[in-house]
Amino acid sequence: MSAGSVAYQMEQRPEPVRRAPLVSSGLLGMLIFIFAEVMFFAGLISAHTIVRAQTAGALWPPYGQPRLPVEQTAVNTAALLVSGIVLLLSWFAFRREPSSARIPLALSILLGGFFVYAQGTEWVALLGEGLTMQSSTYGGFFYLIVGTHALHAVGALAALGWAWARLNKGLLTETQLATVAAFWYFVVLVWPVLYIQVYL
Amino acid sequence: MAHTATAADTHHDAHAHEHHGPQGILKYLWSTDHKMIAMQYLFTGIAMGLIGAYMAYVFRMQTAFPGVNVPGFGQVSPGEYNSLITNHGTIMIFWVAMPVLVAAFGNFLIPLMIGADDMVFPRINRLSYQVFLLSAIVLIVSFFVPGGGFGGAWTAYPPLSAVAEYNQTNLGSSLWLLAVALEFVAFLLGGINFITTLMNSRAPGMRAYDIPLVCWMIVIASILFMLSVGPLIAGAVMLFFDQTLGTGFYDPARGGDPVLWQHLFWFFGHPEVYVVLLPAIGITIDVIATFARKKVFGYKLMLYTTVATGVLSFFVWAHHQFIAGIDPRMANVFTITTLLISVPIAELCFVIIATLYGGSIRLTTPMLWALAFMAEFLIGGVTGIFLGASGADIYFHDTYFVLAHFHYTFFPIAIIGTFAAFTYWFPKMFGRMMNDTLGKIHFWGTIIPFNIIFIPLFVLGIGGEHRRIYNYEHFPELAGEGMFMLRQIATVALLVMLIFQVVFFYNCYVSWKKGEKAGKNPWKANTLEWTTESPPPHGNWPEGLPNVYRGPYEYGHPDRKEDYWPQNQPS
Amino acid sequence: MVLLALAAVALVPDAAHACAVCFDGPGETRQAFFATTAFLTLLPLGMLAGAGAWLRSRARRLESEDVEKKQHPES
């Protein structure tokens, strides 16, 4: 032990220099936050799985509750996924020439906005058909899971809008775009999982 | 050279901004300096700790002397009793252990120990404390709303916590839950800061294995917290909706499942034990290395063991549901994992013992606290083996044995660990030495009564005494004279321990005002925080951030005249 | 360790269901609890492992870029 430790000290170290961070602080912080968010949605999915198993497959959706609009939501899902791809394109455009990212970034925000709007109209229709948070755990989980995702989507869209405004002023940095985009990718990629879990 | 660094430059904006900020008391609330935020967390945590101790005093009086008119409170009603025990647990874990061990010492130590001028996100750090303060205020408000504070135990199992007709505290339970949720948000923000700072702001030359173990431990604890808190937040949102909107997530009559909450709660709840344990172990090992004047035995072993503990801590949570009706096969798996996790913890204990072996030990007050941490925590760990075995747990579940067990773990963590850290870094925080004699009086006045409080509770638990009972006179087989005598011994010991805390506060005040000046490095320690002024000025090292040339525990090196070798000395 | 735990599961006979404190729901619920337990436990570890691997590969790449720069300072 002691011999080993002495050898370790004798080792010649290079003169200390400040290293560039492995991952920029903003992106790293966002990634840690996304990890926590993934676990949050994992908790919701687990809860949903257990309660769904409890009521036995045949009774899901429970008697008297409306069926969820699977097809219409599939269209919304596609819009959201395309938004994610467009954002990826805007990222590559930004790396080439920052100002060229304006249009794809705006398009991505619009597609995301369409998703939130379409989900909102779907909610209004379902509420009219008698599906509420109190009517059954089926409805409760639907509004809980889709609602928390919608909240995240709105937050992420606001962040993308902020990035777009900064881009127009020529102030947006690569780290800022990466940070904001990482959160939008999270919102986009978690949705198909939720869609399969809740709708199908 | 350090001033050319980009990371340092971005911080200066935030600092420059701060000097033009609000004045007076707002200056403290709106400070972005990591040391100021650490002090805010520390003092808020101590204040909440006093509230939690007062609650313990009131309900212990009721338990030992049923129906007594408690001085300073009056008669305790059953509802108040439930509310007191619930909030005592909640406060001690979420508003004392977490803010003091993780947030206060994390904020104070991480930038100073890794040679950074501040956290990576100073304003997120400030927001973290503000949200935390708000959560503390919401919790305190919940005691005084109509119906009183929440009384469904700190674990808040539904349906008791979900249905107002059962718990009788409609508003109190919602506010309690809201306060806990806000508190989690605060620590999410803080944890992001700790991890990012450790990754990106280290001093030039500081490699992964040059980071003091206490920083590693706090960061690993933060990672555990980040990864485990999500499901509980999900569960808490569902519980909140059950309480306020009338959903039925946990109501079996409407297709919900009450056991679901237990899973979501303990998925966080058990890693949470390690979230507060790891910083305490880190503090202990740093204090012990300094006062044993010896290199930590097996730095890498210690680090990897900690990681193993963190990994295993995700595999143990269902041991809290052994009698909640889970599948016995699952109970078996969790018995095995629960017993397994004692292996890395035992390894940490052996590392500490091996570090002590052959050292030239100085029994200062912080060293006494650190040694007491090991000794007392060991009792907590060993009694945990009984509870981890699912068969034995069927008997022990919800008795005072469980209660004594987790107080033997949490008290060393939250109180002894905090005192070790506080007395060790007091010179750095306030620039003056603490009075050693008063410190030792306080130490013995806390440790001896602590054991006299909780050893009788083990005996009572084996005797079948159930937890959370308002008046044991209503249970003939638990109301024997011998059992009441044990309860009274514990309560009297608690009073003695609380009285001795006065010595601590007196010592703090006297030392803060008139203590001997500490100088930069009163303990002759190696880590970077001892290379700057005490207390550290704004920006920590105004003359330039330090460089690092070696590991943090080079004590008693044979080639050197002095027995310590600070990390920032080139040779 | 996981293997050990799995082995323990396999060894336990169904007869253990005679236990007095086990009032679990129907088989489907039990399975759901099993599945979600495994899911929730393994997910954070998987994410950690993924993040660790990514950081490590990134560190290696940055290091090799550094070396290249030193070898060809003009590029």
Side-chain angles (χ1 to χ4, degrees):
Chain A
M1 171 64 208
S2 74
S5 64
V6 169
Y8 170 68
Q9 289 154 22
M10 292 299 131
E11 168 207 7
Q12 277 298 312
R13 291 197 176 197
E15 189 58 25
V17 283
R18 187 172 284 277
R19 292 184 183 184
L22 208 52
V23 183
S24 66
S25 300
L27 183 58
L28 185 64
M30 179 54 78
L31 282 179
I32 298 163
F33 180 66
I34 288 174
F35 277 19
E37 290 279 17
V38 168
M39 290 311 294
F40 171 76
F41 280 102
L44 287 180
I45 288 172
S46 303
H48 184 255
T49 311
I50 286 169
V51 170
R52 188 175 175 166
Q54 193 119 34
T55 37
L59 288 169
W60 197 263
Y63 185 72
Q65 291 285 295
R67 198 175 143 278
L68 295 175
V70 178
E71 298 80 14
Q72 191 207 324
T73 313
V75 177
N76 303 346
T77 308
L80 189 65
L81 289 175
V82 172
S83 162
I85 295 166
V86 175
L87 187 62
L88 198 63
L89 292 179
S90 83
W91 165 251
F92 289 125
F94 185 87
R95 299 269 303 247
R96 266 199 322 276
E97 163 58 46
S99 61
S100 69
R102 268 187 219 171
I103 293 163
L105 187 55
L107 192 63
S108 173
I109 295 170
L110 284 178
L111 279 165
F114 167 76
F115 169 79
V116 174
Y117 171 77
Q119 289 297 114
T121 52
E122 189 186 302
W123 273 35
V124 174
L126 282 169
L127 281 171
E129 288 172 36
L131 185 72
T132 63
M133 284 202 89
Q134 291 85 8
S135 66
S136 63
T137 46
Y138 177 69
F141 270 113
F142 171 75
Y143 289 110
L144 177 67
I145 295 179
V146 177
T148 42
H149 182 264
L151 278 180
H152 282 85
V154 170
L157 283 175
L160 282 177
W162 170 84
W164 192 72
R166 278 184 80 87
L167 180 64
N168 275 340
K169 288 186 213 150
L171 294 171
L172 188 68
T173 64
E174 202 175 305
T175 306
Q176 283 167 345
L177 182 60
T179 306
V180 172
F183 193 54
W184 183 246
Y185 292 140
F186 161 70
V187 170
V188 170
L189 291 177
V190 82
W191 175 252
V193 180
L194 299 180
Y195 176 69
I196 292 167
Q197 176 77 26
V198 177
Y199 285 81
L200 302 184
Chain B
M1 185 194 66
H3 274 302
T4 59
T6 51
D9 285 344
T10 48
H11 290 162
H12 287 154
D13 298 343
H15 290 152
H17 185 72
E18 186 212 332
H19 291 302
H20 307 290
Q23 298 297 311
I25 194 153
L26 277 179
K27 192 176 87 188
Y28 295 103
L29 199 58
W30 290 92
S31 169
T32 54
D33 185 6
H34 72 97
K35 299 180 289 291
M36 182 61 74
I37 292 169
M39 292 298 157
Q40 292 167 340
Y41 266 118
L42 183 65
F43 291 130
T44 316
I46 290 175
M48 292 304 276
L50 289 175
I51 296 175
Y54 169 73
M55 290 174 162
Y57 152 74
V58 175
F59 67 69
R60 275 312 304 180
M61 289 297 279
Q62 164 65 26
T63 313
F65 312 100
V68 73
N69 204 342
V70 181
F73 188 87
Q75 290 277 339
V76 186
S77 74
E80 283 166 344
Y81 181 84
N82 287 341
S83 170
L84 285 169
I85 56 169
T86 300
N87 287 294
H88 167 77
T90 319
I91 286 178
M92 286 305 190
I93 291 171
F94 292 136
W95 277 273
V96 178
M98 290 281 286
V100 172
L101 281 170
V102 183
F105 289 115
N107 264 313
F108 188 77
L109 295 177
I110 290 179
L112 279 171
M113 281 187 145
I114 66 171
D117 58 350
D118 205 330
M119 286 287 179
V120 167
F121 308 115
R123 276 171 287 181
I124 289 184
N125 210 14
R126 178 183 64 192
L127 181 67
S128 156
Y129 175 72
Q130 288 164 344
V131 174
F132 173 74
L133 184 65
L134 181 68
S135 76
I137 292 168
V138 170
L139 185 78
I140 290 170
V141 166
S142 83
F143 308 151
F144 300 107
V145 293
F150 176 56
W154 82 282
T155 51
Y157 284 179
L160 180 59
S161 59
V163 186
E165 288 91 76
Y166 300 159
N167 58 40
Q168 306 278 315
T169 53
N170 191 8
L171 202 50
S173 43
S174 297
L175 283 177
W176 178 89
L177 198 59
L178 186 67
V180 173
L182 282 173
E183 201 259 3
F184 291 155
V185 172
F187 285 114
L188 267 171
L189 297 172
I192 289 174
N193 240 322
F194 295 158
I195 302 168
T196 318
T197 305
L198 189 87
M199 282 281 291
N200 284 355
S201 287
R202 297 201 299 272
M206 183 175 262
R207 304 188 227 172
Y209 298 125
D210 299 336
I211 301 170
L213 278 168
V214 61
C215 293
W216 267 127
M217 298 273 184
I218 291 173
V219 165
I220 292 172
S222 301
I223 295 174
L224 286 184
F225 179 82
M226 292 285 157
L227 290 176
S228 62
V229 77
L232 176 56
I233 294 182
V237 171
M238 286 154 62
L239 185 58
F240 193 73
F241 283 168
D242 271 13
Q243 287 174 349
T244 53
L245 298 180
T247 53
F249 293 122
Y250 299 119
D251 184 357
R254 297 162 65 190
D257 189 346
V259 181
L260 174 62
W261 164 265
Q262 301 189 14
H263 278 274
L264 294 175
F265 181 88
W266 286 114
F267 181 81
F268 164 78
H270 207 87
E272 164 72 12
V273 175
Y274 298 93
V275 169
V276 290
L277 166 66
L278 292 181
I281 288 195
I283 288 162
T284 308
I285 192 76
D286 259 53
V287 171
I288 281 180
T290 304
F291 292 113
R293 312 308 293 169
K294 200 159 160 271
K295 191 173 173 144
V296 168
F297 180 90
Y299 177 101
K300 289 187 186 178
L301 177 77
M302 187 93 174
L303 185 56
Y304 296 150
T305 308
T306 311
V307 174
T309 312
V311 168
L312 273 177
S313 74
F314 283 105
F315 284 101
V316 297
W317 88 84
H319 66 220
H320 294 271
Q321 284 97 273
F322 279 159
I323 72 153
I326 62 166
D327 193 316
R329 283 170 294 191
M330 200 141 98
N332 248 8
V333 176
F334 279 94
T335 297
I336 294 169
T337 52
T338 303
L339 299 187
L340 264 181
I341 203 167
S342 53
V343 175
I345 297 291
E347 214 170 294
L348 294 175
C349 294
F350 284 126
V351 166
I352 290 175
I353 292 167
T355 305
L356 284 168
Y357 181 78
S360 43
I361 295 169
R362 299 191 211 152
L363 284 179
T364 56
T365 313
M367 183 63 164
L368 284 178
W369 284 114
L371 294 174
F373 170 82
M374 284 310 304
E376 305 290 357
F377 185 78
L378 218 60
I379 301 178
V382 169
T383 49
I385 305 277
F386 295 81
L387 300 168
S390 61
D393 187 59
I394 291 172
Y395 179 74
F396 284 125
H397 187 90
D398 249 359
T399 63
Y400 264 65
F401 191 87
V402 178
L403 187 141
H405 156 70
F406 69 69
H407 278 88
Y408 257 104
T409 56
F410 267 113
F411 187 93
I413 292 169
I415 309 297
I416 299 182
T418 299
F419 279 135
F422 189 83
T423 48
Y424 182 61
W425 280 290
F426 184 91
K428 189 46 67 182
M429 287 173 170
F430 302 101
R432 290 174 188 272
M433 301 301 286
M434 280 189 107
N435 185 318
D436 209 44
T437 317
L438 285 175
K440 280 177 181 155
I441 292 172
H442 170 236
F443 169 78
W444 291 112
T446 306
I447 289 296
I448 296 171
F450 162 64
N451 286 293
I452 301 177
I453 296 170
F454 290 107
I455 287 174
L457 300 190
F458 278 124
V459 180
L460 284 169
I462 294 170
E465 179 174 302
H466 228 255
R467 288 166 73 188
R468 297 168 183 153
I469 284 177
Y470 166 62
N471 187 346
Y472 289 97
E473 282 173 340
H474 301 158
F475 297 83
E477 59 274 44
L478 297 178
E481 208 175 302
M483 291 188 103
F484 259 106
M485 201 180 74
L486 286 174
R487 279 174 210 135
Q488 285 157 3
I489 289 173
T491 301
V492 170
L494 172 74
L495 295 177
V496 173
M497 188 170 89
L498 290 179
I499 288 166
F500 268 101
Q501 302 315 304
V502 176
V503 178
F504 171 72
F505 288 106
Y506 174 73
N507 188 2
C508 283
Y509 180 75
V510 167
S511 309
W512 176 54
K513 282 286 178 205
K514 302 203 193 90
E516 184 193 334
K517 286 263 192 246
K520 278 188 177 179
N521 192 355
W523 307 122
K524 295 190 170 29
N526 285 345
T527 40
L528 289 177
E529 81 271 28
W530 302 106
T531 63
T532 182
E533 303 296 327
S534 312
H538 196 73
N540 294 348
W541 285 274
E543 69 281 3
L545 299 177
N547 287 337
V548 170
Y549 296 90
R550 67 188 58 76
Y553 302 114
E554 300 297 338
Y555 292 105
H557 194 275
D559 302 344
R560 280 177 63 85
K561 201 166 78 223
E562 280 161 331
D563 72 341
Y564 68 111
W565 200 356
Q567 280 186 283
N568 68 334
Q569 282 188 10
S571 60
Chain C
M1 198 227 52
V2 181
L3 277 180
L4 202 70
L6 287 178
V9 180
L11 285 175
V12 176
D14 258 1
H17 274 295
C19 103
V21 290
C22 309
F23 39 88
D24 213 347
E28 280 195 46
T29 315
R30 210 181 309 136
Q31 256 175 3
F33 266 116
F34 254 129
T36 54
T37 298
F39 171 61
L40 274 185
T41 312
L42 297 176
L43 185 64
L45 300 178
M47 286 199 300
L48 267 190
W54 180 65
L55 286 176
R56 179 167 276 224
S57 76
R58 210 177 149 85
R60 289 237 173 93
R61 206 168 63 224
L62 286 181
E63 217 159 79
S64 63
E65 273 172 18
D66 266 8
V67 172
E68 264 171 43
K69 267 184 201 156
K70 272 174 200 157
Q71 282 166 348
H72 312 281
E74 71 279 0
S75 66

